[in-house]
Amino acid sequence: MTFWTYRRRDNLVGYLFVAPALLGSLAFVLFPLAMVAWYSLNEWNVLGGTFEFIGGENYARLLADEKLRDSLVATAWFAAGLVVLNLSLALLLAVLLNQKLRGTTLFRTLFFSPVLVSLVAWTLVWQLMLQPEGSVNGLLGVFGIDGPNWLRGETTAMVSVVVVQVIKNVGLNMVLFLAALQGVPAPLYEAAKIDGAGPWTRFRRITIPLISPTILLTSIITIVGSLQVFAQIAVLTQGGPGTSTTVLIYYLYQQAFQFHHFGYGATISVLLFVIVAALTLLQWRMRRKWVLHES
Amino acid sequence: MSRLLALICTALLALTACSGSAATGPKSLRMTVWTANEAHLKLLNEIAAEYRAAHPDVTEIKFDTIPADGYTTTLTTQIAGGNAPDLAWILEESAPDFVSSGALAPIRAKVEKADELVPSAIKLWEKDGELYAYPFSTSPFGLFVNTDLVKELPKTWEQAVAASAGKNLVLPDFKYQNWAVLSAIWRGWGAQAWSEDGRQCGFASPEMKDAMTFVHKAIFTDKAIPGPGTTVDFFAGNAAMAVSQISRAGALKEAKFGWTLLPLPQGPKGDYAVIGQAGVGVLKRSKNAEAAADFLGFFTNAANSAKLAQFFPPVRQSLLNAGTLAKSNPLLKPEQLQSVVIDGISKGVVKPSHQGQEELNQTIRAALDPLWKPDADIGQVLDGVCTKIKPLLERQ
Amino acid sequence: MSRKVWLYGLLCLLCVPFVFPTWWMVTSSMKPISEIFSESLLPSEWTFSTYETVFRMQPFGQQYWNSLYIAVIVTAGTMAVAALAGYAFARIRFPGQNVLFVVVLTGLLIPSEVTIVPLFQMFQSFGMTNTHWPLIIVPIFGAPCVLAIFIMRQFFIALPPELEEAARMDGLGRAGIFYRIALPLSRPALGAVAIFTFLHSWNLYLEPIVYLSTPDMFTLPQALTQFVDIYGGPMWNVQLAAATMTAVPILVVFVLAQRQFIEGLAHTGVKG
């Protein structure tokens, strides 16, 4: 077999292998997305059954929409808080569980367990726990702290939805980090110890670079995921108080499904897509700078 | 390939909103409902079976339960996706949108003895003298009192709040979000969310300010209404009083405490009543709109309304007497049925609703949020509500 | 020694917010309804009637089966599609590769709320509403599969090239290399994909509500919303009993399988 026939066959196999995923993407992702882009150029009254081409009007409205600006600010806070808290907590838990200690399996399971609980039950419990006289403030009271009315203050509501979401899902990232940590060769640490590096230096100089591919993966998943958190906000705060937790996806839902402005909802969808795509592209571009194996 | 073509065609059809053409031959009907309760569904299916027995061309009548949470969202998605049901239950707050958009088919001609429907109760479902949905459930608000906790029954709001100070007067559906529930209180002050024609904001009126000051005081000073974020369940016996729709009385069947039901207390403006409603309409886009409307006529005729009355208070004058209602509401005494249900339905004002209700809902909800703090400037917050909703009210 | 005490203390403290909600869910499902909103840790009297109610009110067994078989098919299908695509994107060089990868990656970026209306139109025109097809096909081939492809690509990229070279020398073609060499090695990554995918399908909420309309077609998350009293108020204790039954078996399976899962991952990591 010559190199070139191998090459050509390789091409064919490559196309065959990606074909199912590719066709699926075309049919179930790109086609619907194109439809959404088309809706955004129209005024669509679902109830009345009217569908009318209005060109860029929805986009003009987007630029002038003050509520949208509030929503973008809320989204930025929510996403930033969620990503930072999720990744640092996941890493902390993974490091703790990576110690030579009896019973880590048990703790690992406990930290992972919220991932398995239904969202409905999860948010309901937290709603009760965050009541002014709920368990959270009861616990704070033990330490002499007079806890706030969590879901009714603008800042505390935002903090609450972030924390509730992080605790629900941090287990997934924790498991990924744990797997990565266990892949770091122990001799590297020994060598560093001999060179007199303290624990913090070892963590920063050895652990972080070696698990950087996992950090990339988890941060992409988490950022993208943070912009898609919907149900928790719908149950816990309904975007309030005021509009303090009305993140973009919730605003989109309100416009399209609650207010029946489908065309405008589609326009916000396009904006959301552009934001997510830009963020992901940015991370992907920067990966060569700090991620091992990718340069 | 032909499938792809079919898909594109259907997509285009859906976009241009193909209006249904009458289908002939065997028909099957689909009605979306938000109840998943077995007793409800059993009754609905019995009525449907009876209808089918007389109409062999209707092969199937199906009741699809969509969860009450997000009911309208899911219904709208189905309509947008080209799968509109033939009939649909409609929440009172979406009534103006559905009625005015032209999504519903006229049904007055199909309704048995349409003249005997209580006029104030069908106003919401009418446009230009035509009826677009039948209000199958019309439920007045009343005051439930836990007689183990309260000995002296209140006649006025002042007394109600005084008697339940520290013992909880709950508004189960309010949750500091569904502000429209508060109309059950502020009507007593003569306040309203907006004017009759829906163009003038009523939140900044002196009546509203007085009423809201009263509510605010009841929450933060008198500690009668539980504060924001606190869940207290009247039906489990944890509260002195509850302002709720009378259809909730059934939840007290196994109550382990003494209770009674009173009409809403008097406000400064005297007696009044407030009702909540749900309607059922025929979607114009249904292929079987004609048959669906015919079934709706049967579903809501006097005999079936009487059956439905055990769950859903009726709007037919012939059924609105204590004797008839007592048969289906064994938990309530005749005088309660008279004072709360019958009087309530006949003279009641429906909870506020408006075209674009959901957008108004969310805007008002957000604008009212600053009110639910002990040191709120009530006048300023209410003026703020009007500033926010003015453009929405003027849009129609 | 004191370091260990500190570590245990820290772990126990951190555990509380993770464990308490589940504890509450399980115990409250056995409380009488009047106690649900009280702060007590244990029911004053234990009742299991809620569990019977679950089965009486809904075809819960059927719904359990629906969720289970859908999740299993989706998991198997996703593993196959993702392994093939992930391998090709990582190890095979073919023209247009990067563009195609970006095309596929788009799916990762779109929340399901955005595309639900066009997708619903599509399945409606195929006559597939109120069937389980949309819940099977879209996750296997559409957006939810992309994360799996991404994980598999990250795994295969870190695979030492020498293994494949040797196999090629022995005369194995691409398909053979993939099937005989790469796939067996990718077990741990496939395990991760399996868990992610299964949970995603198991907890899917928006799609079933939009697509399915009859109770015997419902999936579990959707069924949870159906336990309401005559006035539409949620029956919390029954809902929690149903929620407990959906979560606990999965938890048990996870406990049993986690050793393979996590230790398997560790050998390769999702290394990048």
Side-chain angles (χ1 to χ4, degrees):
Chain A
M1 210 187 306
T2 69
F3 178 73
W4 283 111
T5 44
Y6 195 86
R7 208 61 253 235
R8 211 175 309 140
R9 269 207 203 158
D10 230 23
N11 287 350
L12 183 65
V13 174
Y15 289 128
L16 279 178
F17 275 22
V18 300
L22 195 63
L23 293 177
S25 292
L26 289 175
F28 303 125
V29 177
L30 293 186
F31 173 72
L33 199 61
M35 294 295 279
V36 169
W38 167 241
Y39 300 158
S40 75
L41 300 175
N42 291 275
E43 172 75 53
W44 183 3
N45 180 338
V46 174
L47 295 182
T50 54
F51 191 85
E52 194 186 335
F53 184 77
I54 53 164
E57 252 176 64
N58 281 328
Y59 288 88
R61 186 172 160 193
L62 201 63
L63 293 176
D65 189 346
E66 278 176 35
K67 283 190 202 155
L68 180 77
R69 256 169 271 165
D70 294 347
S71 163
L72 284 173
V73 173
T75 312
W77 279 113
F78 181 76
L82 187 76
V83 171
V84 170
L85 188 62
N86 189 328
L87 292 184
S88 42
L89 186 61
L91 195 54
L92 172 71
L93 292 177
V95 169
L96 287 178
L97 293 179
N98 199 34
Q99 309 295 318
K100 288 201 176 58
L101 211 59
R102 275 174 168 277
T104 46
T105 320
L106 173 70
F107 281 111
R108 196 161 65 189
T109 312
L110 294 180
F111 287 127
F112 192 81
S113 63
V115 176
L116 311 168
V117 175
S118 100
L119 202 57
V120 181
W122 183 257
T123 35
L124 170 69
V125 180
W126 278 95
Q127 208 177 0
L128 291 172
M129 285 169 57
L130 290 167
Q131 287 191 5
E133 272 99 49
S135 330
V136 173
N137 282 351
L139 193 68
L140 289 177
V142 174
F143 300 99
I145 304 168
D146 192 14
N149 191 351
W150 292 95
L151 294 172
R152 303 299 304 187
E154 303 210 339
T155 318
T156 52
M158 179 61 94
V159 171
S160 305
V161 287
V162 168
V163 169
V164 170
Q165 173 65 11
V166 165
I167 294 179
K168 173 91 173 72
N169 273 341
V170 74
L172 286 172
N173 283 343
M174 175 196 77
V175 166
L176 289 175
F177 277 134
L178 197 55
L181 285 177
Q182 295 184 347
V184 178
L188 278 181
Y189 288 122
E190 297 303 324
K193 241 184 202 168
I194 293 167
D195 290 349
W200 175 240
T201 317
R202 272 175 289 166
F203 180 72
R204 221 163 44 105
R205 291 289 172 79
I206 300 176
T207 314
I208 295 284
L210 280 174
I211 65 167
S212 56
T214 308
I215 300 181
L216 174 73
L217 177 78
T218 49
S219 60
I220 288 187
I221 298 174
T222 312
I223 289 187
V224 169
S226 74
L227 296 174
Q228 307 185 353
V229 172
F230 170 74
Q232 295 84 325
I233 289 182
V235 175
L236 283 179
T237 65
Q238 299 197 345
T243 53
S244 55
T245 57
T246 305
V247 296
L248 205 52
I249 178 95
Y250 193 75
Y251 188 57
L252 181 169
Y253 162 83
Q254 283 190 327
Q255 287 290 347
F257 293 107
Q258 290 195 304
F259 309 162
H260 308 303
H261 301 153
F262 261 66
Y264 189 51
T267 316
I268 303 173
S269 302
V270 173
L271 175 71
L272 179 62
F273 173 71
V274 169
I275 293 176
V276 186
L279 278 177
T280 311
L281 194 69
L282 193 71
Q283 281 180 292
W284 195 242
R285 278 282 151 83
M286 278 169 37
R287 79 190 192 281
R288 293 212 162 87
K289 283 228 171 95
W290 58 277
V291 177
L292 221 63
H293 296 304
E294 290 277 4
S295 41
Chain B
M1 203 58 207
S2 61
R3 282 221 148 168
L4 187 65
L5 274 179
L7 164 66
I8 292 169
C9 293
T10 339
L12 289 176
L13 268 180
L15 295 185
T16 50
C18 54
S19 48
S21 52
T24 50
K27 308 171 186 81
S28 95
L29 298 177
R30 188 169 83 92
M31 185 193 290
T32 52
V33 301
W34 55 75
T35 178
N37 181 274
E38 349 167 39
H40 288 179
L41 292 173
K42 185 162 164 276
L43 177 59
L44 297 182
N45 280 314
E46 276 168 18
I47 295 176
E50 204 182 315
Y51 180 81
R52 281 199 296 121
H55 298 80
D57 57 325
V58 176
T59 50
E60 190 191 15
I61 299 176
K62 218 168 71 155
F63 298 96
D64 277 357
T65 300
I66 298 174
D69 250 353
Y71 174 83
T72 309
T73 303
T74 311
L75 179 60
T76 317
T77 308
Q78 293 190 351
I79 297 174
N83 187 28
D86 303 296
L87 301 110
W89 283 14
I90 298 163
L91 289 162
E92 126 211 286
E93 55 187 25
S94 9
D97 282 345
F98 272 85
V99 171
S100 66
S101 66
L104 300 173
I107 54 161
R108 194 176 182 96
K110 295 282 186 184
V111 173
E112 187 185 275
K113 286 189 255 162
D115 298 337
E116 72 154 335
L117 307 182
V118 179
S120 64
I122 57 171
K123 223 166 89 188
L124 187 59
W125 312 92
E126 280 180 320
K127 196 178 79 177
D128 307 328
E130 179 51 80
L131 187 65
Y132 286 91
Y134 182 95
F136 70 94
S137 176
T138 298
S139 190
F141 280 85
L143 185 72
F144 289 92
V145 179
N146 181 329
T147 48
D148 291 359
L149 295 174
V150 178
K151 294 297 167 216
E152 200 116 328
L153 296 179
K155 289 229 161 49
T156 66
W157 277 110
E158 293 287 350
Q159 292 167 358
V161 165
S164 47
K167 290 192 274 187
N168 296 319
L169 190 172
V170 298
L171 301 138
D173 304 308
F174 172 43
K175 296 177 191 140
Y176 291 85
Q177 275 162 346
N178 305 323
W179 56 269
V181 173
L182 291 179
S183 66
I185 298 179
W186 75 47
R187 288 300 305 190
W189 274 254
Q192 45 186 359
W194 39 74
S195 58
E196 286 298 319
D197 63 359
R199 284 174 189 279
Q200 302 294 322
C201 172
F203 279 90
S205 70
E207 294 89 359
M208 184 64 90
K209 284 179 180 166
D210 288 348
M212 288 301 219
T213 307
F214 177 78
V215 173
H216 189 272
K217 187 168 150 289
I219 301 168
F220 296 102
T221 314
D222 305 329
K223 311 269 182 211
I225 301 178
T230 312
T231 311
V232 180
D233 191 356
F234 174 82
F235 300 96
N238 304 332
M241 301 179 196
V243 178
S244 186
Q245 283 172 266
I246 62 111
S247 43
R248 295 286 277 274
L252 291 165
K253 197 149 68 178
E254 282 150 35
K256 297 197 174 79
F257 54 90
W259 62 274
T260 186
L261 172 65
L262 306 173
L264 289 176
Q266 288 178 352
K269 289 275 155 71
D271 275 342
Y272 68 104
V274 174
I275 51 185
Q277 283 197 316
V280 54
V282 172
L283 274 293
K284 212 190 251 173
R285 255 177 278 177
S286 152
K287 274 204 228 65
N288 301 312
E290 189 66 22
D294 196 59
F295 172 65
L296 181 61
F298 177 78
F299 182 75
T300 60
N301 68 21
N304 286 325
S305 292
K307 287 183 206 158
L308 289 165
Q310 59 180 298
F311 303 117
F312 311 112
V315 290
R316 290 187 177 277
Q317 253 135 15
S318 61
L319 298 176
L320 281 177
N321 56 69
T324 314
L325 288 181
K327 276 184 221 141
S328 48
N329 292 283
L331 287 174
L332 297 179
K333 296 186 219 70
E335 62 268 25
Q336 289 176 324
L337 288 165
Q338 181 64 43
S339 65
V340 183
V341 185
I342 297 167
D343 294 355
I345 292 176
S346 341
K347 66 179 184 197
V349 184
V350 181
K351 268 188 342 185
S353 60
H354 198 279
Q355 217 171 320
Q357 176 71 23
E358 269 301 325
E359 194 163 7
L360 273 166
N361 261 348
Q362 296 301 329
T363 312
I364 295 173
R365 199 260 310 140
L368 277 179
D369 273 337
L371 190 63
W372 313 125
K373 289 177 188 145
D375 53 352
D377 181 338
I378 298 168
Q380 197 188 344
V381 172
L382 292 173
D383 290 340
V385 174
C386 278
T387 319
K388 285 267 171 58
I389 67 171
K390 210 161 165 270
L392 296 174
L393 293 176
E394 281 163 2
R395 194 192 283 163
Q396 65 171 220
Chain C
M1 202 56 214
S2 73
R3 184 171 152 270
K4 271 194 179 169
V5 174
W6 269 105
L7 269 176
Y8 277 123
L10 187 57
L11 283 171
C12 288
L13 196 68
L14 281 170
C15 247
V16 173
F18 288 81
V19 176
F20 183 78
T22 313
W23 170 267
W24 188 89
M25 173 181 81
V26 176
T27 54
S28 295
S29 71
M30 297 165 199
K31 286 179 185 172
I33 182 78
S34 57
E35 269 178 47
I36 289 242
F37 296 106
S38 71
E39 300 273 313
S40 60
L41 282 178
L42 287 172
S44 66
E45 49 178 309
W46 298 77
T47 158
F48 295 93
S49 62
T50 46
Y51 285 78
E52 288 160 37
T53 316
V54 169
F55 286 92
R56 195 172 47 74
M57 287 184 71
Q58 289 286 314
F60 198 69
Q62 174 71 39
Q63 292 163 343
Y64 218 103
W65 167 248
N66 292 344
S67 269
L68 192 65
Y69 100 85
I70 292 174
V72 167
I73 294 181
V74 166
T75 306
T78 303
M79 284 160 76
V81 172
L84 285 170
Y87 179 80
F89 282 128
R91 310 297 301 191
I92 308 178
R93 298 273 153 268
F94 53 95
Q97 187 175 29
N98 286 331
V99 179
L100 294 185
F101 186 56
V102 171
V103 166
V104 170
L105 215 54
T106 321
L108 192 60
L109 312 179
I110 305 178
S112 47
E113 283 83 5
V114 167
T115 50
I116 189 80
V117 168
L119 282 175
F120 184 87
Q121 286 184 338
M122 184 188 295
F123 285 103
Q124 168 70 15
S125 70
F126 291 156
M128 285 185 190
T129 50
N130 203 24
T131 71
H132 292 145
W133 285 110
L135 307 183
I136 294 173
I137 299 178
V138 174
I140 293 182
F141 297 100
C145 179
V146 176
L147 179 61
I149 296 175
F150 196 56
I151 291 179
M152 293 310 291
R153 174 193 177 268
Q154 297 300 85
F155 168 81
F156 284 122
I157 245 180
L159 213 59
E162 296 80 16
L163 287 172
E164 295 196 347
E165 287 302 323
R168 194 183 304 186
M169 291 304 159
D170 292 345
L172 269 183
R174 254 311 169 189
I177 295 176
F178 168 72
Y179 190 71
R180 299 261 175 84
I181 312 286
L183 198 59
L185 284 173
S186 72
R187 258 209 186 133
L190 279 176
V193 164
I195 288 204
F196 277 91
T197 312
F198 188 91
L199 287 176
H200 182 269
S201 171
W202 189 254
N203 290 326
L204 212 57
Y205 180 72
L206 175 71
E207 287 81 356
I209 284 189
V210 170
Y211 288 118
L212 305 178
S213 51
T214 42
D216 53 351
M217 298 297 283
F218 283 177
T219 59
L220 290 175
Q222 186 180 15
L224 290 186
T225 64
Q226 303 289 306
F227 300 105
V228 292
D229 62 25
I230 302 197
Y231 308 99
M235 301 167 73
W236 292 119
N237 47 359
V238 182
Q239 277 196 8
L240 290 169
T244 303
M245 283 190 276
T246 66
V248 169
I250 304 298
L251 199 61
V252 171
V253 171
F254 177 75
V255 170
L256 294 179
Q258 68 160 341
R259 194 156 292 249
Q260 284 90 327
F261 169 55
I262 292 176
E263 276 160 22
L265 265 180
H267 287 294
T268 56
V270 183
K271 262 191 182 164

